[in-house]
Amino acid sequence: MPEPTYTIAELAREFALTPRAIRYYEDQGLIAPARAGVQRVYTRRDRIRLKLTLRGKRLGLSLAEIRELIDMYDTAPESTQLARLLEVLARQRAKLEQQREDIEAVLAELDGFERQCRDLLEGAERPAPRKR
DNA sequence: CTTCTCACA
DNA sequence: TGTGAGAA
């Protein structure tokens, strides 16, 4: 059985990406498909790397981080790879928690403004009784 | 289908 | 982090 291969259009369809995005990932060093003349030929291995790339993206990792992890996938020993993965994940967790703090601060400020607005509105609808 | 470039968000 | 257009 020969290796199954894929065209860029096939992978684009399978992973719901544009061919352009896949070429962009290649530019960023995440995949390195072979060529048949000028056309890219993707092997099962390229397909796996693309899948790993998308998993990294779901975790919110940068393409540079994903590239580093993917490179280790076929170079560094697994223990090294897993240790590095844990570092990246810890940093990502810290980043998300910081974002959550920032969002909560803005939400609190929003609460304050809303309260002021409602107070003003109430004042207009039910004006203070005039003195007579 | 390909490369490359410029522009845009 | 991508996209779209246009040239070749």
Side-chain angles (χ1 to χ4, degrees):
Chain A
M1 285 285 274
E3 271 266 327
T5 61
Y6 311 86
T7 66
I8 196 171
E10 284 169 351
L11 290 184
R13 183 164 29 84
E14 177 177 357
F15 294 105
L17 300 169
T18 61
R20 214 165 182 290
I22 296 178
R23 289 186 200 105
Y24 180 72
Y25 295 157
E26 181 177 342
D27 283 346
Q28 301 307 305
L30 284 94
I31 41 184
R35 302 299 180 113
V38 76
Q39 288 203 188
R40 291 166 174 82
V41 178
Y42 295 85
T43 63
R44 196 177 75 262
R45 180 175 173 275
D46 296 316
R47 191 176 165 281
I48 287 169
R49 289 174 70 106
L50 184 55
K51 193 180 287 188
L52 291 174
T53 295
L54 298 179
R55 190 183 68 179
K57 279 171 51 65
R58 284 195 302 274
L59 296 176
L61 306 186
S62 70
L63 294 183
E65 287 167 330
I66 295 168
R67 179 183 58 221
E68 183 187 4
L69 294 172
I70 284 186
D71 285 346
M72 300 180 76
Y73 182 77
D74 35 39
T75 61
E78 193 175 32
S79 59
T80 303
Q81 186 200 344
L82 291 175
R84 181 59 182 140
L85 177 56
L86 284 175
E87 284 177 19
V88 170
L89 295 183
R91 221 165 52 66
Q92 181 63 13
R93 175 179 296 276
K95 181 173 129 190
L96 289 172
E97 282 167 356
Q98 179 60 59
Q99 285 178 2
R100 178 163 61 193
E101 262 187 55
D102 294 344
I103 287 171
E104 279 165 0
V106 175
L107 286 174
E109 192 176 356
L110 198 53
D111 282 341
F113 278 123
E114 285 175 343
R115 201 190 56 72
Q116 287 183 44
C117 290
R118 277 191 290 267
D119 287 350
L120 290 170
L121 201 53
E122 203 163 309
E125 283 166 355
R126 187 161 29 69
R130 289 194 208 113
K131 283 183 188 172
R132 15 188 126 170

